[in-house]
Amino acid sequence: KGETCAKMDEVIDAFDSKQRMKFLSSVEKFVVENLVRNSFVDRFGQPTKQNFIKVICSFLKNEYESCSVPERTTLFQALRLCSRENIAIEELQKEENFKEFAKWSGLSEKSAKDSEDRTEALRLVVNLIACSPENKEVLGKMNAFANAFFLVENSSFSSPRLFPLFRILFHFTTNLANRESVKELRLFDYFVNLLEIYLKTNDGDPVNGLELLKLLFNLTAHLGPLCGPRQTPTKEETELSRRLFGQLKRVLLNREEKNDQMKQAMLSCVINIPIKLIPEFVDQRVVDEFLFVLEFHTKKDNIPPVVSCLMILTGIVTTSKDWQKYVKQHLYPNQDNTEVTMAGPQDLPYLALKLREFLVSNDVALKHTTQEFLFTTCASNAEELARLNGIGQTAGLLSEKNMLSVLSSLKPPPASSQVPLTKEEQEQREKDLEELADKMERLEKLGIFKKKEG
């Protein structure tokens, strides 16, 4: 630690004594040896970090024009690495400094000029937006978002600067208040075309493909979620949506391992499909693939894509009785004669048993989306939901929907149609009935439901 602090002193001393070349070389060496993989604050403390940032900002203001591209790149990289931690970066967040960084990145003008130092400055700007969303307003006043789009139009899909430009436009399009500006720039049209080209040629950085889908998620957000129309899409937007969803289907049906992250980003875009377009998007391959993706991420305990899949499948089964029956048969094969028990049938596919667990998950989003999906898959039939998933796992959902009273009327099939139970099965059944009776009695005392008479 003493050695690295000495190197830091070397940086400061070189700046104070105006030894320009020594300063630049010591910064470069310090960045490579100490900042790339380490926390600045943990190693040197906040005061040292603040002083380091002030020194570099001051040097850039005074010496920017006389620096070479590699020298500027090193200085911007040092500041970017400092900005990874939202600690002791007040100097970077000053509006006057942020404007300078935006100008040096090329966001203040429509210029197609591309260089390594500008790309590094763009990355710094992205970090500072993430640290302080207020910086988006500063960029807005500079017309930086329109300029960022201009730079995208004049970049190849393999260009290193495309990633930070996509991130900047992502932050801009997150705010639906910018909808009119988005329409003016025709961002939706342009990025749908770009996705078509990327998927067709498979040429370019896969990271940029992933960022493109994240950006398209924002651009489709105003078209209306699966649960219903947020805003009626125009005729042009509807046609663009059809083209986009054709490309999303290509991503969905590609099972290559390298496509996994793209597929997760695709799920978010599909959530925004206007409900009236779902029948055009869905066929058996699509439904089968969503069920496959759902099970795949369920096994990995990867909750965000599980929630996305559940939302999408809920929308699909809501729009068609045929798909509702198809998905139900996939989850609950050969269960037509299953009787109601506390735990529910156990001879079910892995996915159905796992979804049953999710019905009482501590993760609120997972629990809610699973409940709505299974309830819809059971055609909103409370008795059927309880029969296939067990009274114990479904009581909470039915209570929320004020439908718990239906359970009081459930009766096992007549004796003539039942297979004789073993001693262990009979004991388990008696235990289930006792537990159910106890729960019903407590819930009745709480006034949640009343037993049906007769």
Side-chain angles (χ1 to χ4, degrees):
K1 187 171 181 179
E3 183 183 347
T4 52
C5 283
K7 290 176 182 176
M8 170 60 74
D9 292 338
E10 183 181 323
V11 173
I12 305 300
D13 291 343
F15 174 78
D16 289 339
S17 59
K18 298 183 179 180
Q19 299 179 59
R20 183 176 183 280
M21 295 309 299
K22 185 179 178 182
F23 171 73
L24 289 167
S25 63
S26 60
V27 169
E28 181 176 12
K29 188 175 181 182
F30 186 80
V31 167
V32 172
E33 293 181 0
N34 298 288
L35 286 187
V36 175
R37 294 182 180 86
N38 299 303
S39 162
F40 198 121
V41 172
D42 288 347
R43 298 201 68 175
F44 308 110
Q46 293 190 35
T48 304
K49 179 179 179 180
Q50 289 169 331
N51 196 19
F52 181 73
I53 291 173
K54 284 181 180 179
V55 163
I56 294 181
C57 288
S58 178
F59 185 87
L60 277 168
K61 286 180 181 178
N62 295 320
E63 302 286 341
Y64 178 83
E65 294 297 336
S66 63
C67 287
S68 67
V69 168
E71 289 170 343
R72 293 173 190 164
T73 302
T74 297
L75 295 172
F76 287 135
Q77 182 188 27
L79 294 178
R80 175 177 64 82
L81 293 173
C82 287
S83 69
R84 290 183 304 182
E85 303 173 284
N86 194 4
I87 303 172
I89 59 170
E90 295 81 7
E91 190 71 19
L92 294 177
Q93 296 286 25
K94 286 182 178 178
E95 185 172 330
E96 60 182 288
N97 287 338
F98 182 75
K99 285 181 176 179
E100 287 293 308
F101 302 142
K103 182 184 74 173
W104 291 329
S105 72
L107 290 175
S108 63
E109 59 182 352
K110 286 191 175 181
S111 169
K113 183 180 178 181
D114 190 5
S115 59
E116 190 179 5
D117 61 322
R118 284 192 167 206
T119 298
E120 196 60 53
L122 280 169
R123 291 171 178 151
L124 171 60
V125 168
V126 169
N127 280 9
L128 294 178
I129 293 174
C131 291
S132 179
E134 291 79 10
N135 285 324
K136 288 190 286 187
E137 296 180 13
V138 177
L139 290 180
K141 293 174 183 177
M142 299 172 64
N143 201 34
F145 296 112
N147 294 335
F149 179 50
F150 176 82
L151 291 173
V152 169
E153 291 181 297
N154 289 275
S155 302
S156 70
F157 206 79
S158 58
S159 171
R161 74 176 179 182
L162 208 55
F163 173 81
L165 288 170
F166 278 167
R167 295 306 298 167
I168 288 167
L169 287 172
F170 176 85
H171 286 297
F172 171 63
T173 54
T174 298
N175 186 356
L176 291 181
N178 294 326
R179 181 177 292 146
E180 291 306 314
S181 298
V182 168
K183 286 185 177 181
E184 269 182 43
L185 293 171
R186 298 184 65 81
L187 296 186
F188 189 32
D189 189 357
Y190 178 82
F191 287 115
V192 169
N193 289 334
L194 192 59
L195 180 64
E196 286 179 337
I197 294 169
Y198 171 68
L199 293 177
K200 184 178 180 180
T201 62
N202 201 24
D203 180 28
D205 189 340
V207 173
N208 290 337
L210 180 62
E211 290 302 313
L212 175 56
L213 279 175
K214 292 179 181 179
L215 181 54
L216 281 165
F217 165 69
N218 280 355
L219 294 173
T220 55
H222 68 287
L223 297 179
L226 283 170
C227 59
R230 182 179 300 159
Q231 176 176 314
T232 303
T234 64
K235 185 176 179 180
E236 182 183 13
E237 288 171 337
T238 301
E239 290 307 311
L240 281 170
S241 297
R242 288 191 172 101
R243 285 174 49 202
L244 171 61
F245 302 142
Q247 303 310 311
L248 296 180
K249 187 182 290 190
R250 291 180 61 178
V251 177
L252 172 67
L253 298 177
N254 182 352
R255 287 196 180 183
E256 293 181 28
E257 186 175 347
K258 66 180 182 181
N259 188 54
D260 185 48
Q261 284 190 312
M262 285 280 287
K263 190 171 289 191
Q264 289 190 52
M266 172 275 305
L267 294 175
S268 299
C269 292
V270 175
I271 290 173
N272 288 330
I273 294 180
I275 200 163
K276 70 175 186 178
L277 294 183
I278 291 179
E280 299 179 32
F281 177 72
V282 174
D283 55 32
Q284 185 173 332
R285 287 193 309 158
V286 167
V287 176
D288 287 342
E289 193 62 26
F290 277 127
L291 289 167
F292 171 82
V293 173
L294 175 60
E295 183 167 340
F296 175 82
H297 288 291
T298 297
K299 289 178 178 177
K300 290 181 172 291
D301 290 323
N302 196 358
I303 301 305
V306 168
V307 170
S308 295
C309 278
L310 289 170
M311 292 174 68
I312 292 165
L313 285 165
T314 301
I316 291 172
V317 298
T318 299
T319 59
S320 166
K321 286 186 177 180
D322 290 337
W323 291 128
Q324 176 260 318
K325 292 177 182 177
Y326 182 82
V327 172
K328 181 183 175 185
Q329 183 60 30
H330 178 89
L331 293 175
Y332 308 109
N334 307 315
Q335 297 297 322
D336 293 342
N337 298 317
T338 302
E339 63 180 78
V340 181
T341 63
M342 183 61 65
Q346 300 303 307
D347 56 335
L348 294 178
Y350 168 86
L351 181 57
L353 293 174
K354 199 66 179 174
L355 291 175
R356 181 184 296 172
E357 293 178 20
F358 293 164
L359 285 170
V360 290
S361 170
N362 291 326
D363 187 304
V364 176
L366 179 61
K367 174 182 174 181
H368 176 72
T369 51
T370 303
Q371 287 177 341
E372 290 304 310
F373 169 60
L374 292 181
F375 188 65
T376 307
T377 299
C378 292
S380 303
N381 185 313
E383 294 185 14
E384 188 72 349
L385 181 70
R387 184 177 73 84
L388 294 172
N389 292 281
I391 294 171
Q393 298 295 92
T394 57
L397 169 61
L398 298 181
S399 175
E400 290 177 15
K401 292 183 175 292
N402 200 27
M403 301 176 73
L404 198 57
S405 59
V406 301
L407 300 183
S408 63
S409 64
L410 293 178
K411 298 178 181 179
S416 59
S417 65
Q418 295 184 44
V419 177
L421 300 176
T422 65
K423 181 179 179 181
E424 291 78 11
E425 289 174 334
Q426 184 63 39
E427 289 176 352
Q428 182 61 45
R429 180 172 177 178
E430 290 174 358
K431 183 179 177 181
D432 286 349
L433 290 173
E434 288 175 6
E435 186 179 344
L436 175 60
D438 179 59
K439 285 187 176 182
M440 293 290 191
E441 185 177 350
R442 280 183 287 158
L443 291 170
E444 187 176 11
K445 287 179 180 178
L446 291 172
I448 293 177
F449 82 98
K450 294 183 179 180
K451 290 183 179 179
K452 291 183 179 180
E453 302 296 332

